[in-house]
Amino acid sequence: MSSSLPVDAIKVASDKHPKPSDVRYQYGTAGFRTLGKLLDSVLFRVGILAALRSKRLDGKTIGVMVTASHNPEPDNGVKLVDPRGEMLEASWEAHATTLSNASTTDAFIEALETLVQTAKIDLSKPARVVYARDTRPSGPSLVNALEDGFKAIGAEARDAGVTTTPILHYFVRAINTKGTPYSYGEDSEEGYFTKLGQALKKLVAGRPPVSPLLIDCANGVGAIAAKTLAAHLGDTLPIVLENTAITTEGALNNACGADFVKTSQKLPPSLSNVLKPGQRACSLDGDADRLIYFYLDERGSFHMLDGDKIAGLVAAFIVEQVKIAGLEEQVKVGVVQTAYANGASTKYLQERLPVKCVPTGVKHLHHAAERYDVGVYFEANGHGTVLFSDDTQATLRDYQPSTPAQSRALENLVSLTELINQTVGDALSDMLLVETVLSHKSYTGVEWDSLYVDLPNRLVKVVVSDRNSFKTEDAERRLVSPPGLQSKIDGLVNRYQGGRSFVRPSGTEDVVRVYAEANIRTQADELAFRVAGLVYDEAGGDPASRPKEFL
Ligand code: NG1
Ligand code: ZN
């Protein structure tokens, strides 16, 4: 290795970004995430880590996104994006955690030296990064800290400004594939919107015009991106934007957005005088990587179409197009879900194609989906995408259709590979995907919703003394610890018709989550309440979080 760390420059800069002594950071499933005001030292250090990751990968461009997604406005966070636009490799999550917790500048330098040795980083390689942030007020100062990290180590850094998480992922892949046979598109926002817009136009050519779609932008960065997208789409898809107050303090994700809709199973109050019965609507989250659809029926009742409904709609459509194209033998479609998927969705999908259940967390879903020719994955909360393997994309390129119907279906499949952001869940791309299928099937929300009927379900949290004492197996569907608890849960579940319940420690909050579903609402609520009670009693629950009756 021909060069060494610029220790002096890093020392001077690091002293300007001291680590608070009383905070312990963790790079979890969503990167670092906590109050924005606690993250200055983390951002500086992540700047250096991203540069080292790039050097380790021979100067490939690494992405850095500053966001806290659907969390409230005072929170912020940061996560790294690997060269193909996917999440940071798991082994580096531990490096991120170690660096962020070094208590002093000297300890930080020492941790860096160790990382360079153990990860065999050739410091003579170039470091290239691209970074962006969402609209949070704490964003600009955190980006300054990040830039100080880039400067200290001498990285070539490109500022992608204020944009969505999935657009940043798109940039990373586009930059790293530029000029190769796997070119992913122009590495600009214009390139992204043009790619999506053109694909949609091809997919819905000749279909009847559709009524306007209302988008709840969560008062976040999705408002900016959706506005640009609407301009690119023109009459192809008329769009009405709501909750676009990106500069109003406290508005972000507040009583609106995908997480609000999914968690409360309610219409955002801000839309109550805006949304007309029968009109299609959807909510993005604060960084526009989650999507939840909904509509009001004729009586004004609210109906939600979550990530499971999206997976059902999309997977069935892709299977149908593959069949019409005559590619059934060559192209196998599969679906990946987590235990939080509604049991009715799993049943609906299993009757049509292979379905795999994996532990919570996008990286698990993404990796499992990569094993199919076409892998559809969605979390119930609305985060997901569709992956077409390289072999499948080559099959689609080389296939010779023998009828006009085959030819049209083949074109549709090729256009889907362009429309779908295959790097990560992307609310805007997923929205165009849903709109494509609705247009092809001539479905309104009502018809889509009736593909299957959701089982009533309830998700609750219990604060316990040590959530790490909860260990699971079978893709988090069964507890192995605390010992004996699972058989008690089984005993309860057996008493409920259509009953299912599981318990797991959260990866993002200091709580244990309890999920339950059953054939009728009151039974699902009661089962959740009883299982939460078991957890509370077994694990020394905090009296403040003693499960309350939901009935
Ligand atoms: P945890 O806190 O581990 O349940 C939550 C979501 C995940 C995922 C991550 C990352 C639920 C029940 N859990 O994980 O699906 O989105 O946050 O943001 O929705
Ligand atoms: Zn998000």
Side-chain angles (χ1 to χ4, degrees), residues 29-30 70 290 340 360 379 381 459 504 506-509 513:
T29 39
H70 53 280
R290 288 188 185 187
Y340 291 107
T360 307
E379 290 190 297
N381 61 31
L459 180 62
R504 59 175 277 281
S506 160
T508 61
E509 276 180 83
R513 295 197 202 283

Side-chain angles (χ1 to χ4, degrees), residues 107-190:
F108 175 53
I109 301 276
E110 208 179 301
L112 283 175
E113 305 270 16
T114 308
L115 174 59
V116 170
Q117 292 298 320
T118 53
K120 300 192 173 57
I121 298 168
D122 181 349
L123 292 169
S124 69
K125 299 280 183 185
R128 300 191 180 96
V129 291
V130 57
Y131 60 103
R133 63 176 174 91
D134 69 15
T135 55
R136 273 160 215 276
S138 57
S141 85
L142 291 177
V143 162
N144 285 341
L146 180 71
E147 288 169 339
D148 280 357
F150 296 149
K151 278 181 218 138
I153 194 163
E156 213 180 285
R158 172 172 158 185
D159 184 0
V162 175
T163 197
T164 72
T165 294
I167 291 179
L168 193 264
H169 283 250
Y170 166 91
F171 280 165
V172 172
R173 177 112 152 223
I175 292 168
N176 286 312
T177 55
K178 211 172 183 168
T180 75
Y182 298 102
S183 170
Y184 198 58
E186 287 290 322
D187 58 335
S188 63
E189 286 211 348
E190 182 61 26

Side-chain angles (χ1 to χ4, degrees), residues 33 67-71 79 165-166 285-290 383:
R33 198 176 290 182
T67 178
S69 186
H70 53 280
N71 285 33
K79 56 189 166 188
T165 294
D285 74 339
D287 62 340
D289 62 353
R290 288 188 185 187
H383 185 109

